[in-house]
Amino acid sequence: DVKVTQSSRYLVKRTGEKVFLECVQDMDHENMFWYRQDPGLGLRLIYFSYDVKMKEKGDIPEGYSVSREKKERFSLILESASTNQTSMYLCASSWVGTGVGSPLHFGNGTRLTVT
Amino acid sequence: ILNVEQSPQSLHVQEGDSTNFTCSFPSSNFYALHWYRWETAKSPEALFVMTLNGDEKKKGRISATLNTKEGYSYLYIKGSQPEDSATYLCAFTYGGSQGNLIFGKGTKLSVKP
């Protein structure tokens, strides 16, 4: 089974801090994603990476950056955390092989609170 | 703006009831339709990915159909069990890239024993 591991389940940070959310997958997937989930909204894509060092902005990239130096690891960086970034963050990965027919495999999520 | 609508928003059924939910999506530039089950405190789990008009998929008591011409998919659960309680998400891919995957807000199902 594919395993997608997010480094923290819960995180509390202060406004203005630089925050790193780490995600590791163990199935050699090319695609990796960062989403955020807020009450009353669907999952919204922050960034998408289709290969090492390759990235695309999603729907809500403002205030975030990403890093993909190795295929298995995709990091989400909050350059200067703000209270409106309090949310549940989900990492996912998928295999390129069947193209858009590949299901996403999700991590358990990181619930970030910015105070 | 492309939008995926799911209905109903929430649903409460008794154990043994059969139920279904709807996912509506834009019918143009369709590539794939995904269904996920998201149980509380767990990660979303893929149920089905469908790409062809008329596709029907089945996994145990859960099945799904796809109509790409009119832009909808149905998810059916036969004989609901308490363990089926979860939020069911659908997502639509357009434009040929998985970066173009748009999620609906989900249908929250509660099954009472």
Side-chain angles (χ1 to χ4, degrees):
Chain A
D1 264 358
V2 176
K3 193 156 184 188
V4 179
T5 304
Q6 293 184 230
S7 53
S8 305
R9 195 66 195 263
Y10 299 94
L11 213 49
V12 180
K13 296 291 180 180
R14 291 193 180 277
T15 303
E17 277 193 79
K18 191 168 185 175
V19 181
F20 293 85
L21 302 184
E22 306 286 350
C23 175
V24 176
Q25 50 95 2
D26 66 359
M27 281 300 288
D28 206 36
H29 284 171
E30 293 84 359
N31 295 331
M32 294 190 77
F33 310 78
W34 275 107
Y35 289 92
R36 65 178 277 178
Q37 166 76 58
D38 297 292
L41 299 175
L43 290 175
R44 292 182 294 165
L45 181 66
I46 305 171
Y47 268 98
F48 163 54
S49 170
Y50 51 91
D51 205 345
V52 174
K53 296 190 190 292
M54 307 305 287
K55 62 187 179 187
E56 283 183 5
K57 290 181 182 179
D59 301 317
I60 48 166
E62 296 79 19
Y64 303 95
S65 61
V66 288
S67 171
R68 187 137 181 232
E69 296 297 318
K70 293 186 178 181
K71 194 174 185 180
E72 67 270 19
R73 185 180 294 271
F74 192 33
S75 303
L76 180 70
I77 303 153
L78 286 66
E79 299 291 342
S80 176
S82 63
T83 54
N84 63 13
Q85 292 178 311
T86 291
S87 187
M88 166 72 90
Y89 290 88
L90 282 164
C91 175
S93 71
S94 72
W95 182 47
V96 154
T98 48
V100 295
S102 294
L104 270 59
H105 299 265
F106 285 89
N108 278 339
T110 296
R111 188 166 291 283
L112 173 68
T113 303
V114 182
T115 61
Chain B
I1 296 176
L2 296 173
N3 208 25
V4 175
E5 300 284 345
Q6 289 189 247
S7 62
Q9 196 173 353
S10 65
L11 198 51
H12 297 264
V13 302
Q14 288 293 135
E15 182 175 355
D17 287 351
S18 292
T19 187
N20 65 84
F21 334 126
T22 305
C23 173
S24 302
F25 52 87
S27 54
S28 60
N29 211 13
F30 171 88
Y31 274 79
L33 193 287
H34 298 225
W35 280 102
Y36 294 87
R37 174 170 58 202
W38 193 0
E39 295 178 65
T40 304
K42 294 188 178 179
S43 53
E45 172 197 0
L47 290 171
F48 308 113
V49 180
M50 295 182 286
T51 57
L52 297 175
N53 184 44
D55 255 356
E56 290 187 24
K57 300 245 179 177
K58 190 173 179 184
K59 193 175 187 176
R61 293 179 292 99
I62 304 178
S63 60
T65 62
L66 177 66
N67 184 324
T68 61
K69 294 188 188 305
E70 295 180 43
Y72 64 84
S73 174
Y74 294 137
L75 188 78
Y76 300 92
I77 302 179
K78 187 177 176 182
S80 303
Q81 300 296 308
E83 58 264 30
D84 295 329
S85 296
T87 297
Y88 291 82
L89 302 175
C90 79
F92 151 78
T93 306
Y94 68 95
S97 165
Q98 285 214 315
N100 299 332
L101 187 64
I102 302 175
F103 280 85
K105 295 177 186 178
T107 293
K108 186 170 183 179
L109 174 67
S110 298
V111 182
K112 287 189 178 178

Short mmCIF file of all heavy atoms in Angstrom, two decimals, chain B residues 25-83:
data_model
loop_
_atom_site.label_atom_id
_atom_site.label_comp_id
_atom_site.label_asym_id
_atom_site.label_seq_id
_atom_site.Cartn_x
_atom_site.Cartn_y
_atom_site.Cartn_z
N PHE B 25 -20.75 18.41 -12.41
CA PHE B 25 -19.51 19.05 -12.84
C PHE B 25 -19.70 19.59 -14.26
O PHE B 25 -20.63 19.21 -14.97
CB PHE B 25 -18.36 18.03 -12.81
CG PHE B 25 -18.65 16.76 -13.54
CD1 PHE B 25 -18.39 16.65 -14.89
CD2 PHE B 25 -19.20 15.68 -12.88
CE1 PHE B 25 -18.67 15.48 -15.58
CE2 PHE B 25 -19.50 14.50 -13.55
CZ PHE B 25 -19.23 14.40 -14.91
N PRO B 26 -18.80 20.49 -14.70
CA PRO B 26 -18.90 21.02 -16.07
C PRO B 26 -18.73 19.89 -17.08
O PRO B 26 -17.83 19.06 -16.93
CB PRO B 26 -17.75 22.03 -16.16
CG PRO B 26 -17.40 22.34 -14.75
CD PRO B 26 -17.70 21.11 -13.95
N SER B 27 -19.57 19.86 -18.10
CA SER B 27 -19.50 18.75 -19.06
C SER B 27 -18.46 18.99 -20.16
O SER B 27 -18.14 18.07 -20.91
CB SER B 27 -20.88 18.51 -19.69
OG SER B 27 -21.36 19.71 -20.26
N SER B 28 -17.90 20.20 -20.24
CA SER B 28 -16.91 20.45 -21.27
C SER B 28 -15.50 20.18 -20.73
O SER B 28 -15.24 20.36 -19.54
CB SER B 28 -17.01 21.89 -21.76
OG SER B 28 -16.80 22.77 -20.67
N ASN B 29 -14.61 19.75 -21.63
CA ASN B 29 -13.20 19.53 -21.29
C ASN B 29 -13.02 18.52 -20.16
O ASN B 29 -12.11 18.64 -19.34
CB ASN B 29 -12.55 20.87 -20.91
CG ASN B 29 -11.08 20.90 -21.28
OD1 ASN B 29 -10.59 20.05 -22.01
ND2 ASN B 29 -10.37 21.88 -20.75
N PHE B 30 -13.87 17.50 -20.14
CA PHE B 30 -13.83 16.49 -19.08
C PHE B 30 -12.69 15.51 -19.33
O PHE B 30 -12.47 15.06 -20.45
CB PHE B 30 -15.16 15.72 -19.05
CG PHE B 30 -15.13 14.53 -18.14
CD1 PHE B 30 -15.46 14.68 -16.80
CD2 PHE B 30 -14.76 13.29 -18.59
CE1 PHE B 30 -15.42 13.60 -15.94
CE2 PHE B 30 -14.72 12.19 -17.75
CZ PHE B 30 -15.05 12.35 -16.42
N TYR B 31 -12.00 15.15 -18.24
CA TYR B 31 -10.96 14.13 -18.34
C TYR B 31 -11.21 12.97 -17.36
O TYR B 31 -11.03 11.82 -17.71
CB TYR B 31 -9.57 14.72 -18.12
CG TYR B 31 -8.97 15.27 -19.38
CD1 TYR B 31 -9.38 16.52 -19.86
CD2 TYR B 31 -8.04 14.54 -20.12
CE1 TYR B 31 -8.85 17.02 -21.04
CE2 TYR B 31 -7.52 15.05 -21.30
CZ TYR B 31 -7.93 16.28 -21.76
OH TYR B 31 -7.42 16.77 -22.94
N ALA B 32 -11.59 13.26 -16.13
CA ALA B 32 -11.78 12.19 -15.15
C ALA B 32 -12.65 12.66 -14.00
O ALA B 32 -12.72 13.86 -13.71
CB ALA B 32 -10.44 11.68 -14.61
N LEU B 33 -13.29 11.71 -13.35
CA LEU B 33 -14.11 11.99 -12.18
C LEU B 33 -13.67 11.03 -11.08
O LEU B 33 -13.61 9.82 -11.28
CB LEU B 33 -15.59 11.80 -12.51
CG LEU B 33 -16.70 12.30 -11.58
CD1 LEU B 33 -16.85 11.47 -10.32
CD2 LEU B 33 -16.50 13.76 -11.22
N HIS B 34 -13.32 11.61 -9.92
CA HIS B 34 -12.84 10.81 -8.78
C HIS B 34 -13.88 10.83 -7.66
O HIS B 34 -14.53 11.87 -7.43
CB HIS B 34 -11.57 11.44 -8.18
CG HIS B 34 -10.38 11.51 -9.08
ND1 HIS B 34 -9.12 11.15 -8.66
CD2 HIS B 34 -10.23 11.92 -10.36
CE1 HIS B 34 -8.25 11.34 -9.64
NE2 HIS B 34 -8.90 11.81 -10.68
N TRP B 35 -14.00 9.72 -6.94
CA TRP B 35 -14.76 9.67 -5.68
C TRP B 35 -13.82 9.22 -4.57
O TRP B 35 -13.06 8.26 -4.74
CB TRP B 35 -15.91 8.67 -5.77
CG TRP B 35 -17.13 9.17 -6.47
CD1 TRP B 35 -17.53 8.88 -7.76
CD2 TRP B 35 -18.15 10.02 -5.94
NE1 TRP B 35 -18.72 9.50 -8.05
CE2 TRP B 35 -19.13 10.21 -6.95
CE3 TRP B 35 -18.34 10.65 -4.70
CZ2 TRP B 35 -20.26 10.99 -6.77
CZ3 TRP B 35 -19.47 11.43 -4.52
CH2 TRP B 35 -20.42 11.60 -5.54
N TYR B 36 -13.91 9.92 -3.42
CA TYR B 36 -13.10 9.58 -2.25
C TYR B 36 -14.02 9.46 -1.03
O TYR B 36 -15.02 10.18 -0.92
CB TYR B 36 -12.05 10.67 -1.96
CG TYR B 36 -11.00 10.78 -3.04
CD1 TYR B 36 -11.20 11.58 -4.17
CD2 TYR B 36 -9.80 10.07 -2.95
CE1 TYR B 36 -10.25 11.66 -5.17
CE2 TYR B 36 -8.84 10.14 -3.95
CZ TYR B 36 -9.07 10.94 -5.06
OH TYR B 36 -8.13 11.01 -6.04
N ARG B 37 -13.61 8.61 -0.10
CA ARG B 37 -14.29 8.52 1.20
C ARG B 37 -13.32 9.05 2.25
O ARG B 37 -12.16 8.64 2.29
CB ARG B 37 -14.65 7.07 1.52
CG ARG B 37 -15.22 6.88 2.94
CD ARG B 37 -15.79 5.51 3.14
NE ARG B 37 -14.79 4.49 2.90
CZ ARG B 37 -15.10 3.23 2.59
NH1 ARG B 37 -16.36 2.87 2.48
NH2 ARG B 37 -14.15 2.36 2.41
N TRP B 38 -13.84 9.96 3.11
CA TRP B 38 -12.99 10.57 4.13
C TRP B 38 -13.65 10.36 5.48
O TRP B 38 -14.60 11.05 5.85
CB TRP B 38 -12.81 12.06 3.84
CG TRP B 38 -11.72 12.71 4.64
CD1 TRP B 38 -10.91 12.14 5.58
CD2 TRP B 38 -11.34 14.07 4.57
NE1 TRP B 38 -10.03 13.06 6.07
CE2 TRP B 38 -10.27 14.27 5.49
CE3 TRP B 38 -11.78 15.17 3.83
CZ2 TRP B 38 -9.63 15.49 5.65
CZ3 TRP B 38 -11.14 16.40 4.01
CH2 TRP B 38 -10.10 16.55 4.90
N GLU B 39 -13.09 9.38 6.23
CA GLU B 39 -13.58 9.12 7.58
C GLU B 39 -12.87 10.06 8.55
O GLU B 39 -11.70 10.42 8.36
CB GLU B 39 -13.29 7.68 7.97
CG GLU B 39 -14.06 6.66 7.14
CD GLU B 39 -13.71 5.23 7.53
OE1 GLU B 39 -14.01 4.84 8.68
OE2 GLU B 39 -13.11 4.54 6.69
N THR B 40 -13.57 10.38 9.63
CA THR B 40 -13.02 11.29 10.64
C THR B 40 -11.70 10.74 11.16
O THR B 40 -11.58 9.54 11.42
CB THR B 40 -14.03 11.44 11.79
OG1 THR B 40 -15.27 11.88 11.24
CG2 THR B 40 -13.54 12.45 12.81
N ALA B 41 -10.73 11.61 11.29
CA ALA B 41 -9.40 11.29 11.84
C ALA B 41 -8.58 10.37 10.93
O ALA B 41 -7.54 9.85 11.35
CB ALA B 41 -9.49 10.70 13.24
N LYS B 42 -9.04 10.16 9.72
CA LYS B 42 -8.26 9.36 8.76
C LYS B 42 -7.97 10.19 7.52
O LYS B 42 -8.43 11.33 7.41
CB LYS B 42 -9.02 8.10 8.39
CG LYS B 42 -9.21 7.13 9.54
CD LYS B 42 -9.80 5.83 9.05
CE LYS B 42 -9.93 4.84 10.20
NZ LYS B 42 -10.54 3.56 9.74
N SER B 43 -7.24 9.62 6.58
CA SER B 43 -6.97 10.33 5.33
C SER B 43 -8.02 9.96 4.29
O SER B 43 -8.57 8.86 4.33
CB SER B 43 -5.57 9.99 4.82
OG SER B 43 -5.41 8.60 4.73
N PRO B 44 -8.32 10.86 3.36
CA PRO B 44 -9.24 10.51 2.27
C PRO B 44 -8.71 9.29 1.51
O PRO B 44 -7.51 9.17 1.25
CB PRO B 44 -9.23 11.76 1.38
CG PRO B 44 -8.79 12.87 2.27
CD PRO B 44 -7.83 12.25 3.24
N GLU B 45 -9.66 8.41 1.16
CA GLU B 45 -9.29 7.16 0.49
C GLU B 45 -10.02 7.08 -0.85
O GLU B 45 -11.23 7.32 -0.91
CB GLU B 45 -9.71 5.99 1.37
CG GLU B 45 -9.59 4.62 0.77
CD GLU B 45 -10.40 3.58 1.53
OE1 GLU B 45 -11.06 3.94 2.52
OE2 GLU B 45 -10.39 2.41 1.12
N ALA B 46 -9.29 6.78 -1.90
CA ALA B 46 -9.91 6.72 -3.23
C ALA B 46 -10.88 5.55 -3.32
O ALA B 46 -10.57 4.44 -2.92
CB ALA B 46 -8.83 6.59 -4.30
N LEU B 47 -12.07 5.83 -3.85
CA LEU B 47 -13.05 4.78 -4.13
C LEU B 47 -13.00 4.41 -5.61
O LEU B 47 -12.83 3.26 -5.97
CB LEU B 47 -14.46 5.25 -3.76
CG LEU B 47 -14.78 5.41 -2.28
CD1 LEU B 47 -16.13 6.08 -2.09
CD2 LEU B 47 -14.73 4.07 -1.57
N PHE B 48 -13.20 5.41 -6.45
CA PHE B 48 -13.26 5.18 -7.89
C PHE B 48 -12.64 6.35 -8.65
O PHE B 48 -12.71 7.48 -8.20
CB PHE B 48 -14.72 5.06 -8.38
CG PHE B 48 -15.56 4.07 -7.63
CD1 PHE B 48 -16.61 4.50 -6.84
CD2 PHE B 48 -15.30 2.71 -7.72
CE1 PHE B 48 -17.39 3.59 -6.14
CE2 PHE B 48 -16.07 1.79 -7.03
CZ PHE B 48 -17.13 2.24 -6.24
N VAL B 49 -12.07 6.03 -9.82
CA VAL B 49 -11.74 7.05 -10.80
C VAL B 49 -12.36 6.60 -12.11
O VAL B 49 -12.14 5.47 -12.55
CB VAL B 49 -10.21 7.22 -10.98
CG1 VAL B 49 -9.93 8.30 -12.02
CG2 VAL B 49 -9.55 7.58 -9.66
N MET B 50 -13.17 7.46 -12.69
CA MET B 50 -13.88 7.10 -13.93
C MET B 50 -13.53 8.10 -15.02
O MET B 50 -13.43 9.30 -14.76
CB MET B 50 -15.39 7.09 -13.67
CG MET B 50 -15.81 6.02 -12.68
SD MET B 50 -17.57 5.96 -12.41
CE MET B 50 -17.77 7.42 -11.41
N THR B 51 -13.33 7.59 -16.23
CA THR B 51 -12.90 8.47 -17.32
C THR B 51 -13.82 8.42 -18.54
O THR B 51 -13.76 9.32 -19.37
CB THR B 51 -11.48 8.11 -17.77
OG1 THR B 51 -11.45 6.73 -18.14
CG2 THR B 51 -10.46 8.34 -16.66
N LEU B 52 -14.66 7.39 -18.66
CA LEU B 52 -15.46 7.25 -19.88
C LEU B 52 -16.94 7.45 -19.59
O LEU B 52 -17.47 6.96 -18.58
CB LEU B 52 -15.27 5.85 -20.46
CG LEU B 52 -13.85 5.50 -20.92
CD1 LEU B 52 -13.78 4.06 -21.36
CD2 LEU B 52 -13.41 6.44 -22.03
N ASN B 53 -17.62 8.13 -20.50
CA ASN B 53 -19.07 8.32 -20.37
C ASN B 53 -19.74 6.95 -20.29
O ASN B 53 -19.44 6.05 -21.06
CB ASN B 53 -19.62 9.09 -21.57
CG ASN B 53 -21.10 9.38 -21.42
OD1 ASN B 53 -21.55 9.79 -20.36
ND2 ASN B 53 -21.85 9.18 -22.49
N GLY B 54 -20.64 6.80 -19.31
CA GLY B 54 -21.33 5.53 -19.15
C GLY B 54 -20.61 4.55 -18.24
O GLY B 54 -21.14 3.48 -17.93
N ASP B 55 -19.41 4.92 -17.78
CA ASP B 55 -18.67 4.07 -16.84
C ASP B 55 -19.53 3.75 -15.63
O ASP B 55 -20.25 4.61 -15.13
CB ASP B 55 -17.41 4.82 -16.34
CG ASP B 55 -16.13 4.30 -16.96
OD1 ASP B 55 -16.19 3.32 -17.72
OD2 ASP B 55 -15.08 4.89 -16.67
N GLU B 56 -19.43 2.49 -15.20
CA GLU B 56 -20.02 2.11 -13.91
C GLU B 56 -18.95 1.33 -13.16
O GLU B 56 -18.31 0.46 -13.73
CB GLU B 56 -21.25 1.23 -14.10
CG GLU B 56 -22.44 1.97 -14.69
CD GLU B 56 -23.70 1.12 -14.72
OE1 GLU B 56 -23.81 0.18 -13.90
OE2 GLU B 56 -24.58 1.40 -15.54
N LYS B 57 -18.76 1.68 -11.88
CA LYS B 57 -17.76 0.98 -11.09
C LYS B 57 -18.42 0.48 -9.81
O LYS B 57 -19.36 1.10 -9.31
CB LYS B 57 -16.59 1.91 -10.75
CG LYS B 57 -15.86 2.46 -11.96
CD LYS B 57 -14.46 1.97 -12.03
CE LYS B 57 -13.77 2.53 -13.28
NZ LYS B 57 -12.40 2.15 -13.39
N LYS B 58 -17.90 -0.63 -9.28
CA LYS B 58 -18.49 -1.19 -8.07
C LYS B 58 -17.38 -1.71 -7.15
O LYS B 58 -16.39 -2.30 -7.61
CB LYS B 58 -19.42 -2.35 -8.43
CG LYS B 58 -20.25 -2.85 -7.29
CD LYS B 58 -21.27 -3.86 -7.73
CE LYS B 58 -22.06 -4.34 -6.52
NZ LYS B 58 -23.01 -5.40 -6.83
N LYS B 59 -17.58 -1.48 -5.85
CA LYS B 59 -16.63 -1.95 -4.84
C LYS B 59 -17.48 -2.37 -3.65
O LYS B 59 -17.92 -1.55 -2.86
CB LYS B 59 -15.70 -0.80 -4.47
CG LYS B 59 -14.47 -1.16 -3.67
CD LYS B 59 -13.62 0.11 -3.51
CE LYS B 59 -12.30 -0.18 -2.88
NZ LYS B 59 -11.45 1.03 -2.82
N GLY B 60 -17.74 -3.68 -3.56
CA GLY B 60 -18.59 -4.16 -2.47
C GLY B 60 -20.00 -3.62 -2.60
O GLY B 60 -20.65 -3.79 -3.63
N ARG B 61 -20.46 -2.91 -1.57
CA ARG B 61 -21.82 -2.36 -1.58
C ARG B 61 -21.88 -0.97 -2.20
O ARG B 61 -22.96 -0.37 -2.26
CB ARG B 61 -22.33 -2.29 -0.12
CG ARG B 61 -22.53 -3.66 0.52
CD ARG B 61 -23.01 -3.53 1.97
NE ARG B 61 -21.99 -2.98 2.84
CZ ARG B 61 -21.92 -1.73 3.22
NH1 ARG B 61 -22.83 -0.86 2.82
NH2 ARG B 61 -20.95 -1.31 4.02
N ILE B 62 -20.76 -0.45 -2.62
CA ILE B 62 -20.71 0.91 -3.16
C ILE B 62 -20.52 0.84 -4.68
O ILE B 62 -19.69 0.06 -5.16
CB ILE B 62 -19.55 1.71 -2.54
CG1 ILE B 62 -19.68 1.73 -1.02
CG2 ILE B 62 -19.54 3.14 -3.08
CD1 ILE B 62 -18.55 2.44 -0.31
N SER B 63 -21.29 1.64 -5.39
CA SER B 63 -21.13 1.71 -6.84
C SER B 63 -21.26 3.15 -7.30
O SER B 63 -21.78 4.00 -6.56
CB SER B 63 -22.15 0.81 -7.55
OG SER B 63 -23.47 1.23 -7.22
N ALA B 64 -20.78 3.42 -8.50
CA ALA B 64 -20.84 4.77 -9.04
C ALA B 64 -21.10 4.71 -10.54
O ALA B 64 -20.71 3.75 -11.21
CB ALA B 64 -19.53 5.52 -8.76
N THR B 65 -21.79 5.73 -11.03
CA THR B 65 -22.04 5.86 -12.47
C THR B 65 -21.57 7.22 -12.93
O THR B 65 -21.42 8.15 -12.13
CB THR B 65 -23.54 5.69 -12.78
OG1 THR B 65 -24.27 6.74 -12.11
CG2 THR B 65 -24.06 4.34 -12.33
N LEU B 66 -21.37 7.34 -14.24
CA LEU B 66 -20.83 8.59 -14.79
C LEU B 66 -21.56 8.95 -16.08
O LEU B 66 -21.70 8.11 -16.98
CB LEU B 66 -19.34 8.41 -15.09
CG LEU B 66 -18.63 9.60 -15.73
CD1 LEU B 66 -18.59 10.79 -14.78
CD2 LEU B 66 -17.22 9.23 -16.17
N ASN B 67 -22.01 10.19 -16.16
CA ASN B 67 -22.59 10.75 -17.38
C ASN B 67 -21.84 12.03 -17.70
O ASN B 67 -22.07 13.08 -17.08
CB ASN B 67 -24.09 11.03 -17.17
CG ASN B 67 -24.77 11.53 -18.44
OD1 ASN B 67 -24.17 12.26 -19.22
ND2 ASN B 67 -26.00 11.13 -18.63
N THR B 68 -20.90 11.93 -18.63
CA THR B 68 -20.08 13.10 -18.94
C THR B 68 -20.79 14.08 -19.86
O THR B 68 -20.46 15.26 -19.88
CB THR B 68 -18.76 12.68 -19.62
OG1 THR B 68 -19.07 12.02 -20.84
CG2 THR B 68 -17.95 11.78 -18.73
N LYS B 69 -21.78 13.61 -20.60
CA LYS B 69 -22.49 14.51 -21.54
C LYS B 69 -23.34 15.52 -20.78
O LYS B 69 -23.44 16.69 -21.18
CB LYS B 69 -23.35 13.69 -22.49
CG LYS B 69 -22.53 12.81 -23.43
CD LYS B 69 -23.40 12.16 -24.50
CE LYS B 69 -22.65 11.13 -25.30
NZ LYS B 69 -21.44 11.66 -25.93
N GLU B 70 -23.96 15.06 -19.69
CA GLU B 70 -24.80 15.96 -18.90
C GLU B 70 -24.09 16.44 -17.64
O GLU B 70 -24.62 17.28 -16.92
CB GLU B 70 -26.11 15.28 -18.56
CG GLU B 70 -26.95 15.00 -19.81
CD GLU B 70 -28.26 14.32 -19.48
OE1 GLU B 70 -28.92 14.73 -18.51
OE2 GLU B 70 -28.61 13.37 -20.20
N GLY B 71 -22.92 15.93 -17.35
CA GLY B 71 -22.10 16.43 -16.25
C GLY B 71 -22.57 16.01 -14.88
O GLY B 71 -22.72 16.86 -13.99
N TYR B 72 -22.78 14.69 -14.67
CA TYR B 72 -23.10 14.25 -13.32
C TYR B 72 -22.60 12.83 -13.09
O TYR B 72 -22.41 12.04 -14.01
CB TYR B 72 -24.60 14.36 -13.00
CG TYR B 72 -25.50 13.48 -13.82
CD1 TYR B 72 -25.71 12.15 -13.46
CD2 TYR B 72 -26.15 13.98 -14.94
CE1 TYR B 72 -26.55 11.34 -14.21
CE2 TYR B 72 -26.99 13.16 -15.70
CZ TYR B 72 -27.18 11.85 -15.32
OH TYR B 72 -28.00 11.05 -16.07
N SER B 73 -22.40 12.52 -11.81
CA SER B 73 -22.05 11.18 -11.36
C SER B 73 -22.86 10.88 -10.12
O SER B 73 -23.10 11.78 -9.29
CB SER B 73 -20.55 11.10 -11.06
OG SER B 73 -20.22 9.84 -10.49
N TYR B 74 -23.32 9.63 -10.00
CA TYR B 74 -24.03 9.20 -8.80
C TYR B 74 -23.18 8.19 -8.04
O TYR B 74 -22.52 7.33 -8.65
CB TYR B 74 -25.36 8.51 -9.15
CG TYR B 74 -26.40 9.40 -9.78
CD1 TYR B 74 -27.15 8.95 -10.86
CD2 TYR B 74 -26.64 10.67 -9.29
CE1 TYR B 74 -28.13 9.74 -11.44
CE2 TYR B 74 -27.61 11.48 -9.88
CZ TYR B 74 -28.35 11.01 -10.94
OH TYR B 74 -29.30 11.81 -11.51
N LEU B 75 -23.21 8.28 -6.72
CA LEU B 75 -22.59 7.27 -5.87
C LEU B 75 -23.72 6.60 -5.09
O LEU B 75 -24.54 7.29 -4.49
CB LEU B 75 -21.58 7.92 -4.90
CG LEU B 75 -20.75 6.93 -4.09
CD1 LEU B 75 -19.63 6.36 -4.95
CD2 LEU B 75 -20.16 7.59 -2.85
N TYR B 76 -23.76 5.27 -5.13
CA TYR B 76 -24.80 4.51 -4.46
C TYR B 76 -24.19 3.66 -3.36
O TYR B 76 -23.14 3.05 -3.56
CB TYR B 76 -25.50 3.55 -5.44
CG TYR B 76 -26.17 4.19 -6.62
CD1 TYR B 76 -25.47 4.36 -7.82
CD2 TYR B 76 -27.49 4.59 -6.56
CE1 TYR B 76 -26.08 4.93 -8.92
CE2 TYR B 76 -28.11 5.16 -7.66
CZ TYR B 76 -27.40 5.33 -8.83
OH TYR B 76 -28.02 5.90 -9.92
N ILE B 77 -24.86 3.61 -2.22
CA ILE B 77 -24.46 2.68 -1.16
C ILE B 77 -25.67 1.81 -0.85
O ILE B 77 -26.73 2.32 -0.47
CB ILE B 77 -23.98 3.41 0.10
CG1 ILE B 77 -22.80 4.33 -0.22
CG2 ILE B 77 -23.55 2.39 1.17
CD1 ILE B 77 -22.27 5.12 0.95
N LYS B 78 -25.48 0.52 -1.01
CA LYS B 78 -26.57 -0.42 -0.78
C LYS B 78 -26.48 -0.96 0.64
O LYS B 78 -25.41 -1.39 1.07
CB LYS B 78 -26.44 -1.58 -1.78
CG LYS B 78 -27.58 -2.55 -1.78
CD LYS B 78 -27.38 -3.60 -2.87
CE LYS B 78 -28.48 -4.64 -2.81
NZ LYS B 78 -28.29 -5.70 -3.82
N GLY B 79 -27.59 -0.93 1.38
CA GLY B 79 -27.59 -1.49 2.73
C GLY B 79 -26.55 -0.82 3.63
O GLY B 79 -25.62 -1.45 4.11
N SER B 80 -26.71 0.50 3.85
CA SER B 80 -25.71 1.27 4.60
C SER B 80 -25.41 0.65 5.97
O SER B 80 -26.31 0.15 6.65
CB SER B 80 -26.21 2.70 4.81
OG SER B 80 -26.51 3.31 3.58
N GLN B 81 -24.15 0.72 6.35
CA GLN B 81 -23.68 0.24 7.65
C GLN B 81 -23.07 1.42 8.41
O GLN B 81 -22.61 2.38 7.79
CB GLN B 81 -22.65 -0.86 7.46
CG GLN B 81 -23.16 -2.08 6.71
CD GLN B 81 -24.25 -2.78 7.48
OE1 GLN B 81 -24.09 -3.11 8.65
NE2 GLN B 81 -25.39 -3.01 6.83
N PRO B 82 -23.03 1.35 9.74
CA PRO B 82 -22.42 2.45 10.50
C PRO B 82 -21.00 2.78 10.04
O PRO B 82 -20.60 3.94 10.06
CB PRO B 82 -22.44 1.94 11.94
CG PRO B 82 -23.62 1.02 11.98
CD PRO B 82 -23.65 0.36 10.62
N GLU B 83 -20.25 1.78 9.61
CA GLU B 83 -18.88 2.04 9.15
C GLU B 83 -18.83 2.80 7.83
O GLU B 83 -17.75 3.21 7.38
CB GLU B 83 -18.07 0.74 9.03
CG GLU B 83 -18.66 -0.29 8.09
CD GLU B 83 -19.51 -1.33 8.81
OE1 GLU B 83 -20.13 -0.99 9.86
OE2 GLU B 83 -19.57 -2.47 8.31
#
